[in-house]
Amino acid sequence: MAADGQSGVWKSGKGKGRHTPKGRQLDDAAWAEVKAILGDRPRRRDLLIEFLHLIQDAYGYLSAAHMYALAEEMRLSQAEVYEVASFYAHFDIVKEDDTPPPALTIRVCDSLSCELAGAQQLKAALEDGLNPAQVRVLRAPCMGRCDTAPMLEIGHNHIDHATVDKVQAAIAANDTHAHVPEYQTYAAYIADGGYRVLSELRDGGDWEAVQDKLLSSGLRGLGGAGFPSGKKWGFVRANPGPRYLAVNGDEGEPGTFKDRFYLERTPHLMLEGMLIAAWAVEADTCFIYMRDEYPAVLEILRREIAALEDAGIVAPGYIDLRRGAGAYICGEESAMIESIEGKRGIPRHRPPFVAQVGIFDRPTLVHNVETLLWVARVCREGPEVLHRNELNGRKGLRSYSVSGRVANPGVYLLEAGSTITDVIGAAGGMADGHMFKAYQPGGPSSGLLPASMNDIPLDFDTLQPHGTFIGSAAVVVLSDQDSARSAALNMLRFFEDESCGQCTPCRVGCEKAVKLMQADHWDQPLLTELCAAMADASICGLGQAAPNPIKLVMQHFSDEI
């Protein structure tokens, strides 16, 4: 009845008003748990990925309730938190009606070196022999331990030369945590003269003199691009502050493990090089972006950064260690910067370049780990530490990550003019029963070259005339028992998985290439057209270089396709 007793729009009976807003509801218990995990950390937007790691580490997955609570705590939309979490392979998102993953996850590497060593058979055996309700077995991209293939990670414990028996023993012993190797600590580094050069430079050094020293040494970026290292300093200094420095430790190119090798032995050599570079460009903060696949390195860096703070070498918080989350694309410098800012690792369009517009839109100097190690050595020992070494008309030294069908896989520091024959020789020759057939000179981005091309110096600028490049010097050796066609397919499957999906040429191109390469006979005209479109139109180096395995197999191993 209407209020005046007359019929009208007011009706008797209970209304159906809502007690809550539409959509997912905030769970108070989950919110309290998230607050407890975050503690007194600042709720900054750029720390989103770090906070997702904290929740994943505490519970083993990211529940919908916790993700909503995190969004509420950080004053972000749920969509923004979800899109970041779903971008990275190491985050497990569990929606309301989903079953959480088992408490234990095993990641079996299936990149080229591990596949040559039997990774697929190992994964199948683990899937058959373990209870899927208790242990989850996943395929995973390169973990940077190609010298001990096949490789897997059980929890955060890496099992070298993995077997089913080793895995079962680790499960029985609950051995699922990272093993930190012996390394040179802060005290040992100081006793060896460490940080003396940094102290002298801070007391009145000339940054341009140091830059000239680097240029005369011939040092170039050793993450793959090969840009003269000293020149970057001037570009960054030319822009007004505040400025930042970022260490690219996302060593994700399959076959590459040199950065891990050095950081697990002499971390302070890189840290001093980083602080020298930061001094040169007057950086307000140093960000170290380290891949999540290196848990032992992350622990070493946490310890030694704390030691630097305790010793007064740096102020607390000056070095900001960030943990990747399983995304190869974040090895591209602008994608890494997006990830440091707590976003999806999607490469930026350039220009502007990161030396002008980098972290938080400020000028940023980016170096990879090995480059900074050499910055420290050049400053301590002089430019001749590099340029006095000469072979085949090339000057300098290179750290080659060598794996595959060689007797002794590992990292070898050789003259930059070394050929594949020299590299195989340093690794003890071919493995027993194998004859040299082909090699990958610089990761899957470089494709495959035949054994007949064994006289080319593996250095910057020497491989481009042959349609390839040295990249990060990730050398994988194949033998007469291996298929170049299968190796190329392995590489393209990796690129298909790791494409960020931003641009159509790369996202669709990698997918179509994998399908075409699985045919009994390759459609070479169509693949050639596809390769040209990917190389010409992709935004970043992933899509531009992904066609190289296809092109080089068609050129040098046509009998297999």
Side-chain angles (χ1 to χ4, degrees):
M1 297 293 292
D4 59 0
Q6 302 298 317
S7 61
V9 296
W10 291 11
K11 305 296 184 182
S12 61
K14 289 186 176 181
K16 296 183 179 180
R18 298 186 60 85
H19 298 288
T20 60
K22 290 184 177 181
R24 182 178 285 118
Q25 303 304 308
L26 179 63
D27 184 295
D28 288 337
W31 195 9
E33 289 166 351
V34 167
K35 288 180 178 179
I37 289 172
L38 302 191
D40 59 359
R41 296 175 177 86
R43 274 40 170 181
R44 299 200 320 258
R45 171 65 180 79
D46 62 290
L47 295 175
L48 174 58
I49 294 172
E50 296 297 307
F51 293 165
L52 289 169
H53 272 306
L54 292 175
I55 298 171
Q56 173 91 22
D57 290 345
Y59 293 96
Y61 58 92
L62 301 173
S63 70
H66 283 136
M67 290 178 66
Y68 184 7
L70 181 61
E72 182 72 20
E73 187 65 12
M74 297 187 70
R75 299 295 187 264
L76 297 173
S77 69
Q78 295 180 61
E80 195 169 2
V81 173
Y82 179 83
E83 74 169 7
V84 172
S86 61
F87 184 87
Y88 297 94
H90 289 188
F91 293 135
D92 292 304
I93 298 173
V94 176
K95 297 180 181 179
E96 286 87 349
D97 297 327
D98 290 347
T99 301
L104 189 59
T105 295
I106 296 175
R107 289 183 164 87
V108 182
C109 176
D110 68 351
S111 291
L112 184 55
S113 297
C114 285
E115 183 165 290
L116 295 177
Q120 298 297 343
Q121 296 87 334
L122 174 63
K123 180 174 178 288
L126 291 171
E127 289 172 333
D128 290 342
L130 297 174
N131 183 350
Q134 297 175 343
V135 181
R136 177 177 57 160
V137 180
L138 303 175
R139 59 179 287 267
C142 185
M143 300 178 194
R145 308 183 79 90
C146 317
D147 51 334
T148 56
M151 164 57 52
L152 61 77
E153 185 182 35
I154 177 168
H156 286 300
N157 177 21
H158 288 98
I159 306 293
D160 296 333
H161 303 295
T163 64
V164 173
D165 290 343
K166 286 184 178 181
V167 171
Q168 291 174 336
I171 293 174
N174 195 28
D175 186 8
T176 60
H177 301 288
H179 292 221
V180 178
E182 291 188 10
Y183 63 91
Q184 187 181 41
T185 62
Y186 170 76
Y189 188 69
I190 286 290
D192 193 36
Y195 295 106
R196 177 180 52 80
V197 170
L198 174 66
S199 178
E200 292 171 354
L201 292 173
R202 285 177 169 178
D203 286 342
D206 179 355
W207 76 269
E208 290 180 310
V210 179
Q211 179 181 244
D212 290 342
K213 186 181 291 187
L214 290 179
L215 291 172
S216 65
S217 74
L219 179 62
R220 296 170 65 170
L222 296 168
F227 191 81
S229 300
K231 285 187 177 181
K232 284 187 175 183
W233 295 9
F235 294 155
V236 175
R237 286 277 305 222
N239 295 286
R243 308 181 190 96
Y244 298 110
L245 181 145
V247 180
N248 191 339
D250 200 68
E251 183 182 47
E253 188 80 5
T256 310
F257 48 94
K258 58 187 176 62
D259 290 355
R260 175 192 60 80
F261 176 87
Y262 289 121
L263 287 172
E264 288 184 346
R265 288 160 177 80
T266 56
H268 283 281
L269 203 55
M270 183 279 288
L271 289 169
E272 184 171 14
M274 175 191 74
L275 292 175
I276 290 171
W279 160 83
V281 299
E282 298 179 341
D284 283 22
T285 304
C286 295
F287 294 90
I288 302 177
Y289 189 88
M290 187 55 55
R291 66 187 310 218
D292 196 34
E293 290 86 349
Y294 289 174
V297 170
L298 282 160
E299 178 57 28
I300 289 169
L301 290 174
R302 290 187 193 103
R303 295 177 187 179
E304 299 312 306
I305 290 169
L308 290 176
E309 293 176 348
D310 292 342
I313 301 290
V314 296
Y318 181 73
I319 302 174
D320 192 340
L321 178 62
R322 297 299 181 89
R323 178 179 167 192
Y328 163 77
I329 192 63
C330 290
E332 197 276 339
E333 62 179 7
S334 66
M336 175 193 68
I337 286 172
E338 289 287 297
S339 192
I340 288 173
E341 294 179 355
K343 305 171 187 174
R344 295 176 297 167
I346 291 182
R348 298 176 178 177
H349 292 266
R350 291 175 288 184
F353 297 94
V354 300
Q356 302 165 293
V357 182
I359 299 172
F360 308 135
D361 295 331
R362 302 308 308 162
T364 302
L365 175 66
V366 178
H367 282 311
N368 95 305
V369 168
E370 191 194 358
T371 304
L372 291 171
L373 179 148
W374 283 109
V375 167
R377 287 199 59 181
V378 167
C379 289
R380 290 179 66 172
E381 304 170 47
E384 60 273 12
V385 70
L386 280 174
H387 68 55
R388 70 186 173 203
N389 301 278
E390 185 171 354
L391 180 66
N392 292 326
R394 309 297 299 178
K395 290 186 176 181
L397 295 168
R398 290 204 67 102
S399 299
Y400 297 96
S401 304
V402 188
S403 61
R405 306 298 193 180
V406 294
N408 301 307
V411 174
Y412 294 93
L413 184 63
L414 305 173
E415 290 83 358
S418 298
T419 65
I420 187 61
T421 302
D422 300 320
V423 171
I424 293 174
M430 295 295 293
D432 288 344
H434 292 269
M435 292 181 60
F436 180 34
K437 173 181 178 176
Y439 66 104
Q440 178 181 281
S445 300
S446 68
L448 283 174
L449 294 177
S452 58
M453 298 176 67
N454 61 357
D455 59 349
I456 307 168
L458 301 183
D459 194 18
F460 296 119
D461 310 321
T462 58
L463 291 163
Q464 277 83 343
H466 305 282
T468 182
F469 50 86
I470 187 61
S472 59
V475 179
V476 180
V477 178
L478 275 64
S479 78
D480 57 330
Q481 299 181 27
D482 303 316
S483 162
R485 169 200 176 106
S486 298
L489 180 58
N490 176 282
M491 299 177 202
L492 263 295
R493 280 177 171 150
F494 170 79
F495 291 129
E496 180 187 22
D497 286 343
E498 296 298 330
S499 171
C500 75
Q502 178 183 191
C503 64
T504 303
C506 177
R507 181 184 69 249
V508 177
C510 289
E511 176 198 357
K512 298 304 180 186
V514 167
K515 290 180 178 178
L516 290 169
M517 293 167 73
Q518 294 179 83
D520 291 338
H521 299 285
W522 287 11
D523 186 337
Q524 295 190 54
L526 183 56
L527 277 168
T528 299
E529 186 177 350
L530 178 63
C531 288
M534 292 175 66
D536 291 345
S538 295
I539 290 172
C540 81
L542 191 158
Q544 293 163 10
N548 286 339
I550 304 171
K551 292 189 291 186
L552 291 177
V553 166
M554 289 194 296
Q555 180 179 350
H556 299 296
F557 303 95
S558 58
D559 58 313
E560 294 190 20
I561 59 174

